[in-house]
Amino acid sequence: MDLQRAEVRVGVGGQSGVLLAWFAALGMGLAMMAGYAYTPGAMRDAKAAWPREATFSPAGDRPTVVVGLHPRCTCSVATVRELDRILAGVVVRPQVEVLLYRPAGAAEGWERTAFDEDLRRLPAVTVRADVEGKGARAFGMLTSGDIAVFTPEKRLLFRGGLTAARGHEGESKGGRQLRMALSMGHGALGPFPVFGCPMGQAVRK
């Protein structure tokens, strides 16, 4: 009888140990996911003026918003939607230049995205294929979701991201500052953290 009780106690203790180990592993996994979600991507120092290496020119009568995006990064969707919300609330609609990353050797059209409809909603938008991310790098952009805004005089007005975490839609410090910059013509240059995929690798869906 005592032996049976001992076996029961051992069995219960073993199950408790397995459950504790499982919860510990789950907690570690959630912590790692949260850490990744709130870890910003790489950024280069912003240039104070429109870069000479750029292959297109800014608008001469309104601000120009330049956005670097990886078309197969899910975080890009959140950036485009946040930008759409911000632009809907400003009086002077800027020119929007979207640089869609395309890896070297990829076929034309590789950069076509599942969020084309979201992109088309942006006012005065031009979408450009950016082979190897060279166009984005001219603006110091290395991470999907990086944004630079310039005045008609080619002066940097804003630099950084619009989301508070990877793939997160909603208010953020960068978003508030961009809205202020476009509404009042001045703002904090930043840089504000950019949460997205590196524009230098073929992210798989």
Side-chain angles (χ1 to χ4, degrees):
M1 192 70 173
D2 291 340
L3 180 59
Q4 290 178 344
R5 289 175 180 171
E7 289 176 347
V8 170
R9 285 198 295 271
V10 171
V12 172
Q15 291 177 357
S16 299
V18 171
L19 285 173
L20 287 172
W22 185 83
F23 280 118
L26 178 62
M28 289 178 62
L30 291 174
M32 290 175 64
M33 289 174 62
Y36 175 74
Y38 290 95
T39 301
M43 296 180 71
R44 285 182 179 166
D45 291 340
K47 297 184 178 181
W50 188 269
R52 294 180 180 178
E53 309 94 303
T55 57
F56 56 95
S57 300
D61 59 346
R62 51 187 164 162
T64 300
V65 176
V66 182
V67 190
L69 291 176
H70 195 305
R72 302 193 180 184
C73 175
T74 56
C75 304
S76 299
V77 179
T79 293
V80 172
R81 290 177 179 174
E82 283 306 306
L83 181 59
D84 185 33
R85 292 187 186 100
I86 291 170
L87 296 183
V90 300
V91 176
V92 178
R93 298 292 179 89
Q95 171 65 28
V96 180
E97 299 282 348
V98 175
L99 305 177
L100 281 180
Y101 172 79
R102 183 201 294 171
E108 184 176 348
W110 181 94
E111 70 281 357
R112 290 176 185 166
T113 74
F115 56 96
D116 279 343
E117 186 175 341
D118 293 302
L119 283 173
R120 286 196 296 270
R121 287 198 194 100
L122 297 176
V125 63
T126 300
V127 180
R128 303 175 185 272
D130 189 15
V131 180
E132 295 186 308
K134 291 180 180 178
R137 284 199 300 276
F139 291 89
M141 299 174 179
L142 303 175
T143 301
S144 184
D146 202 343
I147 291 177
V149 181
F150 294 85
T151 66
E153 296 76 33
K154 301 183 180 182
R155 177 176 56 84
L156 183 66
L157 190 62
F158 172 90
R159 173 69 191 286
L162 302 185
T163 62
R166 294 177 187 270
H168 177 77
E169 295 182 38
E171 281 292 314
S172 70
K173 187 174 181 180
R176 289 190 294 272
Q177 290 296 332
L178 175 58
R179 187 180 292 109
M180 183 182 301
L182 292 174
S183 299
M184 301 181 181
H186 63 82
L189 297 181
F192 298 96
V194 181
F195 299 96
C197 305
M199 288 190 293
Q201 63 185 36
V203 174
R204 295 181 180 178
K205 286 186 175 181

